[in-house]
Amino acid sequence: MSVIVVVAAVIVEPGGRVLAAQRAEPAALAGGWEFPGGKVDPGESEEVALVRECREELGVEVAVGERVGGDWPLAEGYVMRVWLCTLTSGTPEAREHLALRWLGPGEYYEVEWLGADLPIMKTVESLLPRD
């Protein structure tokens, strides 16, 4: 059985702020918060897909850093692979999301994370520096 890979970017700013994006669709996920990203296209590397998705969804360029964990399960037949990223140019815009929000330490759980993204946030929190 082939698996569809979805990539996600945990965009981190100095001080440990991370970017959360509020889903616009599908209806079952709309309003929930996630890390931006999307499906890897055929023939595309995961890192290239991540850069492309950030450009398309947010209008920014990112540098891809350390991978977070292994394969994070999604719906049947899908896995998510996650990387820490930093902005190299641009200011994030909600092009495909309802809203964007920077969350700093102490604010990470002020949004309603989607079920797949919540354990990722918990892992990311343990990786970020504490001020």
mmCIF file of all heavy atoms in Angstrom, residues 5 7 38-46 49 52-53 56:
data_model
loop_
_atom_site.group_PDB
_atom_site.id
_atom_site.type_symbol
_atom_site.label_atom_id
_atom_site.label_comp_id
_atom_site.label_asym_id
_atom_site.label_seq_id
_atom_site.Cartn_x
_atom_site.Cartn_y
_atom_site.Cartn_z
ATOM 1 N N VAL A 5 2.492 11.312 1.442
ATOM 2 C CA VAL A 5 3.256 12.096 2.408
ATOM 3 C C VAL A 5 2.805 13.550 2.367
ATOM 4 O O VAL A 5 2.722 14.163 1.303
ATOM 5 C CB VAL A 5 4.772 12.000 2.122
ATOM 6 C CG1 VAL A 5 5.556 12.905 3.070
ATOM 7 C CG2 VAL A 5 5.249 10.558 2.225
ATOM 8 N N VAL A 7 3.803 17.227 4.148
ATOM 9 C CA VAL A 7 4.875 17.885 4.885
ATOM 10 C C VAL A 7 4.314 19.088 5.626
ATOM 11 O O VAL A 7 3.336 19.703 5.181
ATOM 12 C CB VAL A 7 6.030 18.318 3.948
ATOM 13 C CG1 VAL A 7 6.732 17.091 3.378
ATOM 14 C CG2 VAL A 7 5.541 19.211 2.822
ATOM 15 N N GLY A 38 1.596 20.788 3.110
ATOM 16 C CA GLY A 38 0.713 20.127 2.154
ATOM 17 C C GLY A 38 1.355 18.889 1.572
ATOM 18 O O GLY A 38 2.416 18.453 2.007
ATOM 19 N N LYS A 39 0.695 18.346 0.570
ATOM 20 C CA LYS A 39 1.141 17.094 -0.050
ATOM 21 C C LYS A 39 2.402 17.290 -0.887
ATOM 22 O O LYS A 39 2.588 18.332 -1.516
ATOM 23 C CB LYS A 39 0.047 16.527 -0.948
ATOM 24 C CG LYS A 39 -1.177 16.064 -0.215
ATOM 25 C CD LYS A 39 -2.215 15.531 -1.182
ATOM 26 C CE LYS A 39 -3.546 15.388 -0.488
ATOM 27 N NZ LYS A 39 -4.651 15.351 -1.424
ATOM 28 N N VAL A 40 3.212 16.245 -0.901
ATOM 29 C CA VAL A 40 4.407 16.207 -1.741
ATOM 30 C C VAL A 40 3.968 15.772 -3.134
ATOM 31 O O VAL A 40 3.272 14.764 -3.292
ATOM 32 C CB VAL A 40 5.453 15.217 -1.168
ATOM 33 C CG1 VAL A 40 6.665 15.127 -2.068
ATOM 34 C CG2 VAL A 40 5.849 15.625 0.247
ATOM 35 N N ASP A 41 4.335 16.545 -4.142
ATOM 36 C CA ASP A 41 4.007 16.201 -5.529
ATOM 37 C C ASP A 41 4.926 15.092 -6.044
ATOM 38 O O ASP A 41 6.065 14.965 -5.584
ATOM 39 C CB ASP A 41 4.152 17.425 -6.435
ATOM 40 C CG ASP A 41 3.062 18.463 -6.201
ATOM 41 O OD1 ASP A 41 2.002 18.113 -5.648
ATOM 42 O OD2 ASP A 41 3.284 19.635 -6.577
ATOM 43 N N PRO A 42 4.441 14.288 -7.011
ATOM 44 C CA PRO A 42 5.296 13.242 -7.590
ATOM 45 C C PRO A 42 6.604 13.839 -8.117
ATOM 46 O O PRO A 42 6.602 14.894 -8.756
ATOM 47 C CB PRO A 42 4.445 12.682 -8.736
ATOM 48 C CG PRO A 42 3.028 12.993 -8.346
ATOM 49 C CD PRO A 42 3.105 14.303 -7.605
ATOM 50 N N GLY A 43 7.718 13.175 -7.798
ATOM 51 C CA GLY A 43 9.025 13.614 -8.263
ATOM 52 C C GLY A 43 9.628 14.754 -7.469
ATOM 53 O O GLY A 43 10.718 15.231 -7.776
ATOM 54 N N GLU A 44 8.940 15.200 -6.428
ATOM 55 C CA GLU A 44 9.392 16.330 -5.624
ATOM 56 C C GLU A 44 9.964 15.799 -4.306
ATOM 57 O O GLU A 44 9.389 14.902 -3.696
ATOM 58 C CB GLU A 44 8.177 17.218 -5.359
ATOM 59 C CG GLU A 44 8.424 18.520 -4.692
ATOM 60 C CD GLU A 44 7.134 19.334 -4.558
ATOM 61 O OE1 GLU A 44 6.077 18.785 -4.138
ATOM 62 O OE2 GLU A 44 7.176 20.522 -4.875
ATOM 63 N N SER A 45 11.076 16.360 -3.843
ATOM 64 C CA SER A 45 11.585 15.961 -2.532
ATOM 65 C C SER A 45 10.709 16.588 -1.450
ATOM 66 O O SER A 45 10.009 17.581 -1.690
ATOM 67 C CB SER A 45 13.044 16.402 -2.354
ATOM 68 O OG SER A 45 13.119 17.786 -2.070
ATOM 69 N N GLU A 46 10.756 16.022 -0.272
ATOM 70 C CA GLU A 46 9.937 16.539 0.822
ATOM 71 C C GLU A 46 10.333 17.966 1.190
ATOM 72 O O GLU A 46 9.475 18.815 1.422
ATOM 73 C CB GLU A 46 10.040 15.607 2.025
ATOM 74 C CG GLU A 46 9.411 14.258 1.728
ATOM 75 C CD GLU A 46 9.660 13.212 2.790
ATOM 76 O OE1 GLU A 46 10.255 13.531 3.847
ATOM 77 O OE2 GLU A 46 9.253 12.052 2.571
ATOM 78 N N ALA A 49 9.058 20.364 -1.428
ATOM 79 C CA ALA A 49 7.609 20.515 -1.256
ATOM 80 C C ALA A 49 7.302 21.472 -0.107
ATOM 81 O O ALA A 49 6.402 22.311 -0.214
ATOM 82 C CB ALA A 49 6.959 19.156 -0.994
ATOM 83 N N ARG A 52 7.928 25.000 -1.257
ATOM 84 C CA ARG A 52 6.865 25.386 -2.200
ATOM 85 C C ARG A 52 5.562 25.689 -1.470
ATOM 86 O O ARG A 52 4.891 26.686 -1.733
ATOM 87 C CB ARG A 52 6.647 24.269 -3.238
ATOM 88 C CG ARG A 52 5.461 24.548 -4.182
ATOM 89 C CD ARG A 52 5.181 23.391 -5.116
ATOM 90 N NE ARG A 52 5.011 22.099 -4.473
ATOM 91 C CZ ARG A 52 3.925 21.711 -3.800
ATOM 92 N NH1 ARG A 52 2.894 22.515 -3.659
ATOM 93 N NH2 ARG A 52 3.868 20.500 -3.266
ATOM 94 N N GLU A 53 5.189 24.817 -0.550
ATOM 95 C CA GLU A 53 3.936 25.009 0.188
ATOM 96 C C GLU A 53 3.964 26.307 0.996
ATOM 97 O O GLU A 53 2.964 27.023 1.039
ATOM 98 C CB GLU A 53 3.658 23.812 1.102
ATOM 99 C CG GLU A 53 3.222 22.561 0.361
ATOM 100 C CD GLU A 53 1.804 22.627 -0.177
ATOM 101 O OE1 GLU A 53 1.031 23.528 0.209
ATOM 102 O OE2 GLU A 53 1.452 21.768 -1.002
ATOM 103 N N GLU A 56 3.440 29.124 -1.468
ATOM 104 C CA GLU A 56 2.068 29.200 -1.969
ATOM 105 C C GLU A 56 1.073 29.624 -0.893
ATOM 106 O O GLU A 56 0.222 30.477 -1.128
ATOM 107 C CB GLU A 56 1.641 27.845 -2.538
ATOM 108 C CG GLU A 56 2.361 27.460 -3.808
ATOM 109 C CD GLU A 56 2.054 26.033 -4.276
ATOM 110 O OE1 GLU A 56 1.281 25.308 -3.593
ATOM 111 O OE2 GLU A 56 2.603 25.647 -5.311
#
